[in-house]
């Protein structure tokens, strides 16, 4: 039985991985921050030596939408570097031979008109709105590659997901990404009978949002055939939609029938960041959840999990 040590088990990706492991009877050890603060190297090393996992899946991080990244670049750079450095170096010191690190599509240069290939990382200027976060992501991905280069028996690899949404997402407008933000805004507008909802920017920016339950499946797919996984692997849908389209489909799912107004003073970030998924197809994996199915499941979670009530109570 493969023992997985999962970081970030309290987060959206982590909780989706834990849900899937539970469904499939896979053992996963997922210490929360209160049990293991990954900014503490000694504690991280101690836990890794105790658990002796067959593989580490690193899904912990300081994560947030464009507004959070603009607000706190120092935190996004330093916390993601600190925890990534600690888990990678402690895993090597503890003799862990396999580590799957999660990058992000923010790692790529801004404003590329073409789908982004894994080798494009560090080939151009980063997007200013999330540069701190992207620098940390690039550095940890390279650290994994260097560990493997110095000792080829250590399979330390990076999966680069596109934008994500889904069950266990963050719906607080202060930190949320596009999709959870749209669900919350449309739900409130429908509940309160608001005639219009604000879209940040002119709505023409494009994004590739994949359902987090699919990423969890991709991660377990990779764990099962880890030696075959490329050292760096984009994971995405291979298609993107405009911000306006996300609002339109979400309005149908939520049942909001009002109109939209564009606030072009709001930040828009990259105009596009579509991933090239050629390696993913060759590796033999693809996402299964359509946008509408994913939005429905996410809205159901927003309603049933108490997220809607908690935000309304503020
Ligand atoms: N969300 C997205 O759109 C995308 C995310 N990713 C990547 O996927 C990964 C997971 O993202 P996501 O699930 O959305 O993030 P969340 O913010 O939902 O979860 C992050 C998790 O990291 C944990 N964490 C943060 N700091 C520490 C620390 N010092 N010690 C221990 N644990 C810590 C938190 O623990 P706790 O809850 O216990 O406080 C939390 O569970 C990240 O690497 C992110 O960069 C990549 C592409 C897109
Ligand atoms: C996931 C990845 O990518 C993240 O960057 P991002 O993709 O720019 O993040 P975002 O989802 O917050 O915005 C997507 C687009 O959507 C538009 N937009 C419209 N209306 C709302 C809105 O109401 N809220 C938000 N947040 N965006 C809105 C917004 O203007 C932008 O054009 C990093 O933060 C980082 O987390 C990272 O790793």
């Amino acid at each position: 039985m493969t023992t997985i040590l999962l970081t970030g088990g309290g987060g959206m990706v982590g909780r989706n991985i834990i849900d899937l492991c539970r469904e499939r009877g896979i053992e996963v050890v997922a210490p929360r921050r209160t049990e293991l603060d990954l900014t503490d190297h000694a504690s991280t090393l101690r836990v890794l030596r105790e658990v002796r996992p067959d593989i580490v899946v690193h899904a912990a991080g300081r994560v947030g939408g464009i507004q959070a990244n603009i607000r706190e670049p120092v935190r996004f750079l330093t916390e993601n570097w600190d925890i990534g450095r600690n888990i990678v170096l402690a895993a090597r010191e503890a003799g862990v031979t396999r580590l799957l690190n999660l990058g992000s599509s923010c790692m790529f240069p801004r404003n590329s008109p073409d789908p982004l290939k894994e080798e494009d990382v560090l080939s151009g200027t980063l997007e200013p709105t999330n540069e701190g976060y992207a620098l940390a992501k690039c550095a940890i991905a390279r650290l994994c590659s260097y560990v493997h280069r110095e000792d080829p028996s250590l399979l330390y690899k990076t999966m680069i997901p596109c934008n994500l949404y889904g069950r266990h997402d963050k719906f607080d407008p202060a930190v949320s990404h596009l999709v959870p933000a749209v669900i919350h805004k449309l739900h409130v507008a429908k509940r309160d009978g608001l005639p219009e909802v604000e879209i940040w920017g002119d709505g023409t920016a494009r994004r590739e949002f994949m359902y987090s339950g699919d990423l969890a499946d991709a991660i377990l797919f990779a764990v099962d055939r880890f030696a075959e996984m490329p050292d760096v692997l984009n994971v995405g849908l291979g298609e993107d939609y405009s911000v306006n389209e996300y609002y339109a489909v979400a309005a149908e799912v939520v049942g909001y029938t009002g109109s939209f107004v564009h606030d072009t003073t709001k930040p828009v970030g990259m105009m596009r960041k579509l991933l090239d998924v050629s390696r993913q197809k060759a590796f033999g994996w693809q996402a299964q959840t359509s946008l509408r199915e994913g939005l429905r499941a996410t809205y159901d979670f927003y309603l049933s999990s108490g997220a809607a009530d908690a935000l309304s109570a503020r």
Side-chain angles (χ1 to χ4, degrees):
M1 167 75 79
T2 298
T3 301
I4 300 173
L5 184 133
L6 170 67
T7 70
M12 172 176 67
V13 172
R15 286 178 187 271
N16 277 279
I17 293 170
I18 289 170
D19 290 349
L20 201 53
C21 285
R22 188 175 296 126
E23 273 177 41
R24 298 181 181 175
I26 296 171
E27 182 187 354
V28 56
V29 177
R32 294 291 302 269
R33 186 195 327 233
T34 49
E35 303 163 282
L36 171 57
D37 183 341
L38 292 166
T39 60
D40 181 311
H41 183 78
S43 305
T44 305
L45 180 57
R46 173 178 50 75
V47 168
L48 284 170
R49 281 177 166 156
E50 284 168 3
V51 175
R52 301 175 59 77
D54 299 295
I55 186 168
V56 169
V57 174
H58 178 42
R62 168 60 52 188
V63 183
I66 189 169
Q67 71 283 28
N69 273 271
I70 291 170
R71 193 172 59 240
E72 298 187 278
V74 170
R75 199 173 185 192
F76 276 84
L77 170 60
T78 57
E79 287 190 22
N80 285 302
W81 166 247
D82 288 346
I83 63 179
R85 176 190 184 282
N86 282 338
I87 195 67
V88 170
L89 296 184
R92 182 176 69 166
E93 203 169 334
V96 177
T97 57
R98 295 185 297 165
L99 182 141
L100 176 53
N101 168 55
L102 289 186
S104 168
S105 57
C106 293
M107 293 163 65
F108 288 104
R110 67 192 307 231
N111 297 340
S112 165
D114 304 319
L116 296 154
K117 296 182 183 303
E118 290 87 348
E119 54 267 32
D120 293 335
V121 172
L122 291 181
S123 66
T125 306
L126 295 171
E127 164 57 37
T129 56
N130 51 51
E131 187 185 77
Y133 174 78
L135 284 169
K137 287 303 207 183
C138 290
I140 299 304
R142 282 294 201 271
L143 180 61
C144 290
S145 299
Y146 301 158
V147 164
H148 176 62
R149 187 191 306 171
E150 290 185 4
D151 179 350
S153 72
L154 300 180
L155 304 183
Y156 285 27
K157 304 185 177 185
T158 295
M159 188 178 275
I160 304 179
C162 58
N163 286 56
L164 301 168
Y165 74 100
R167 301 176 69 257
H168 308 299
D169 210 336
K170 298 190 285 290
F171 296 90
D172 178 349
V175 293
S176 55
H177 288 102
L178 168 67
V179 169
V182 174
I183 285 174
H184 175 59
K185 289 201 284 193
L186 293 174
H187 173 79
V188 169
K190 176 187 169 187
R191 182 197 65 197
D192 298 348
L194 303 181
E196 61 185 27
V197 165
E198 177 189 275
I199 294 178
W200 294 4
D202 65 6
T204 60
R206 302 186 69 83
R207 288 295 185 273
E208 179 185 14
F209 270 91
M210 182 168 73
Y211 186 61
S212 286
D214 287 337
L215 179 68
D217 183 61
I219 288 168
L220 295 186
F221 180 91
V223 167
D224 278 347
R225 45 189 65 73
F226 201 63
E228 300 157 39
M229 176 185 158
D231 289 350
V232 183
L233 178 67
N234 286 346
V235 171
L237 301 174
E239 61 184 7
D240 59 4
Y241 302 92
S242 73
V243 167
N244 285 330
E245 287 168 318
Y246 281 106
Y247 274 86
V249 178
E252 290 172 22
V253 168
V254 170
Y256 176 69
T257 56
S259 58
F260 297 107
V261 61
H262 291 96
D263 179 351
T264 53
T265 68
K266 288 290 195 314
V268 296
M270 289 197 202
M271 282 315 291
R272 190 181 204 195
K273 46 179 170 179
L274 176 64
L275 297 185
D276 178 291
V277 290
S278 306
R279 286 190 193 177
Q280 171 192 297
K281 286 176 183 166
F283 186 46
W285 185 85
Q286 69 175 37
Q288 297 297 318
T289 308
S290 72
L291 178 60
R292 194 176 299 276
E293 290 165 343
L295 288 173
R296 178 75 262 167
T298 306
Y299 186 41
D300 289 345
F301 173 84
Y302 169 81
L303 296 172
S304 65
S305 67
D309 297 335
L311 285 167
S312 300
R314 285 191 181 180

